[in-house]
């Protein structure tokens, strides 16, 4: 499996590879939208790749030059998928892939997932002429990942992933991940001396950030599909997106339920089924996680970050933060050399 959005291997002989419907079919892709079944070009773009023992990376920008709807069966794999900017419709076993969003300032806010699926998982993708998606997909063997589970600190969810359980973990790439990923595009294009060393080191740094976000300090990001139907997973993702679009001072549960087309009782039941906590706890934990990212990667004061996370009093924020993460928010500022302002 090469990508949740484009499962085909890059054409290395051509720095500007093109894909046709005929090539798609030769690679086991089922074209669903009819149209020209000959050599019509459907996508093109620059692609880079990294190959190491037990881990491989494909990344690039794919321009859609013709409408295309497709479905393909994927091999069993664990992979990290980072979507930097752009949009196409894509789903895996009926679960929508989280696409990047535009901020109020017009900046792309990237999205990412870690996926563990069994052999034969179904990827569907629909894109329209002119659409594009800057993306990176890091595939990892479970044997390679096993090396990092030999400590008592490995959480049960990570152990389950290594054991072959299917899972779908959504996480928010931080500024470091976005910087590393975009720099890999530039390195692949310029090919400076020892570029392979740079690409491999960047890959490992991104893998560390992804595993830490999904299985380390943010266990609430886990969204296992094993006990949820496809419709329930879609509603969970819609709930997460709604929370992420609002600050703690703006969000009202009644308005959220109305916009999502579900009662509060339904949302409560769904969150408890997926995350074993109440709806209010789920919302509070996501804002605490956002607060942690802001403490690490911004110069904003702890008081401002606490207020945006829904806490009027700094002491209440400190207590909740310590309870959730095991350390106070001020310790993160000491690590990054920033002081309270």
């Amino acid at each position: 499996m090469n990508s949740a959005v484009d499962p085909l291997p890059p054409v290395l002989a051509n720095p500007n590879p093109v894909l046709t419907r005929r090539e798609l079919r030769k690679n086991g892709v089922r074209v669903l939208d009819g149209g020209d079944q000959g050599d019509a070009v459907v996508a093109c773009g620059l692609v880079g790749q990294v190959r190491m023992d037990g881990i491989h990376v494909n990344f690039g920008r794919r321009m859609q030059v013709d409408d295309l709807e497709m479905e393909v069966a994927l091999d069993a794999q664990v992979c990290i998928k980072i979507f930097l900017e752009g949009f196409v419709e894509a789903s895996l076993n009926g679960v929508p892939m989280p696409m990047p969003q535009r901020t109020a300032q017009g900046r792309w806010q990237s999205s990412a997932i870690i996926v563990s699926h069994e052999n034969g998982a179904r990827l569907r993708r629909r894109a329209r002429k002119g659409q594009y998606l800057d993306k990176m997909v890091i595939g990892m063997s479970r044997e390679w990942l096993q090396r990092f589970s030999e400590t008592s600190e490995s959480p049960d969810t990570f152990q389950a992933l290594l054991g072959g359980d299917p899972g779908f973990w959504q996480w928010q790439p931080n500024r470091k991940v976005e910087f590393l990923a975009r720099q890999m595009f530039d390195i692949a294009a310029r090919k400076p001396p020892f570029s392979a060393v740079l690409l491999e080191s960047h890959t490992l740094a991104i893998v560390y950030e992804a595993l830490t976000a999904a299985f380390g300090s943010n266990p609430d990001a886990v969204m296992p599909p094993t006990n949820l139907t496809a419709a329930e997973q879609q509603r969970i993702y819609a709930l997460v997106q709604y929370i992420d679009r609002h600050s703690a001072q703006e969000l009202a549960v009644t308005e959220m339920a109305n916009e999502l087309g579900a009662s509060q009782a339904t949302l409560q039941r769904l969150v408890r089924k997926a995350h074993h906590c109440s709806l209010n706890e789920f919302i509070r934990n996501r804002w605490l996680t956002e607060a942690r990212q802001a403490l690490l990667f911004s110069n904003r004061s702890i008081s401002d970050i606490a207020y945006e996370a829904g806490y009027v009093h700094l002491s209440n924020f400190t207590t909740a933060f310590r309870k959730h993460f095991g350390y106070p928010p001020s310790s993160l500022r000491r690590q990054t050399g920033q002081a309270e302002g």
Side-chain angles (χ1 to χ4, degrees):
M1 170 183 172
N2 292 309
S3 171
V5 175
D6 192 340
L8 301 179
V11 183
L12 298 180
N14 186 346
N16 257 307
V18 297
L19 295 175
T20 67
R21 282 184 165 84
R22 179 173 295 176
E23 289 169 333
L24 288 171
R25 295 197 308 275
K26 286 170 60 178
N27 283 273
V29 175
R30 180 186 173 200
V31 178
L32 302 175
D33 59 352
D36 186 350
Q37 297 299 304
D39 285 331
V41 174
V42 292
C44 61
L46 291 173
V47 178
Q49 64 174 199
V50 180
R51 292 293 182 266
M52 296 182 281
D53 185 24
I55 183 171
H56 63 273
V57 187
N58 285 344
F59 56 95
R61 177 173 181 166
R62 295 280 180 173
M63 285 297 298
Q64 203 71 25
V65 297
D66 197 6
D67 293 351
L68 178 67
E69 185 172 1
M70 49 173 267
E71 180 183 81
V72 62
L74 304 174
D75 296 330
Q77 194 175 17
V78 177
C79 55
I80 299 167
K81 307 176 188 296
I82 302 170
F83 309 116
L84 293 168
E85 66 175 75
F87 175 82
V88 299
E89 294 181 42
S91 64
L92 184 63
N93 287 343
V95 181
M97 299 289 179
M99 290 291 110
Q101 301 290 326
R102 289 276 196 182
T103 66
Q105 293 74 35
R107 177 180 176 273
W108 283 106
Q109 181 175 329
S110 60
S111 60
I113 54 174
I114 297 178
V115 177
S116 170
H117 59 71
E118 300 168 329
N119 193 51
R122 310 301 295 184
L123 166 70
R124 279 179 175 257
R125 191 192 73 178
R126 182 171 65 178
R128 296 306 178 212
K129 184 175 181 178
Q131 289 183 335
Y132 74 96
L133 185 66
D134 288 359
K135 67 186 188 308
M136 176 173 294
V137 179
I138 304 174
M140 302 162 288
S141 70
R142 286 188 171 84
E143 292 74 22
W144 185 82
L145 285 168
Q146 190 70 44
R147 297 183 298 165
F148 309 108
S149 67
E150 298 173 354
T151 68
S152 58
E153 299 176 357
S154 299
D156 292 341
T157 49
F158 185 62
Q159 295 294 340
L161 178 144
L162 294 178
D165 290 356
F168 201 109
W169 294 262
Q170 185 172 351
W171 57 285
Q172 182 63 54
N174 57 37
R175 294 181 182 179
K176 179 179 179 181
V177 169
E178 291 187 346
F179 172 79
L180 291 171
R182 293 185 184 281
Q183 193 174 62
M184 288 178 71
F185 281 72
D186 182 56
I187 294 168
R190 292 188 299 107
K191 296 182 174 58
F194 309 110
S195 58
V197 178
L198 272 176
L199 291 174
E200 290 185 9
S201 65
H202 279 32
T203 296
L204 294 175
I206 291 173
V207 170
Y208 167 77
E209 295 290 337
L211 295 179
T212 299
F215 303 106
S217 61
N218 186 18
D220 296 306
V222 176
M223 297 183 182
T226 51
N227 66 333
L228 298 178
T229 67
E232 288 174 331
Q233 290 174 60
Q234 292 180 29
R235 182 156 282 174
I236 279 284
Y237 290 127
L239 170 63
V240 169
Q241 291 170 356
Y242 186 93
I243 295 170
D244 291 346
R245 290 198 306 267
H246 297 77
S247 73
Q249 306 300 331
E250 299 171 334
L251 191 147
V253 176
T254 53
E255 293 180 6
M256 178 177 67
N258 289 336
E259 182 166 324
L260 297 179
S263 66
Q264 293 184 45
T266 297
L267 294 178
Q268 289 278 11
R269 176 190 58 78
L270 188 56
V271 168
R272 192 166 295 280
K273 180 179 179 181
H275 295 278
H276 311 291
C277 65
S278 70
L279 177 60
N280 287 335
E281 289 171 329
F282 180 72
I283 295 171
R284 190 160 55 245
N285 290 343
R286 284 201 66 83
W287 279 327
L288 284 172
T289 299
E290 288 298 313
R292 181 180 181 276
Q293 294 294 329
L295 288 165
L296 282 170
F297 301 104
S298 79
N299 294 318
R300 295 163 51 207
S301 71
I302 297 178
S303 297
D304 286 346
I305 293 171
Y307 182 77
E308 188 169 295
Y311 294 87
V312 177
H313 302 291
L314 183 59
S315 59
N316 292 342
F317 172 70
T318 300
T319 299
F321 193 96
R322 185 195 296 272
K323 182 178 179 180
H324 189 63
F325 295 111
Y327 47 83
S330 57
S331 66
L332 293 182
R333 283 295 159 87
R334 286 195 295 269
Q335 291 175 20
T336 57
Q338 298 172 3
E340 160 70 351

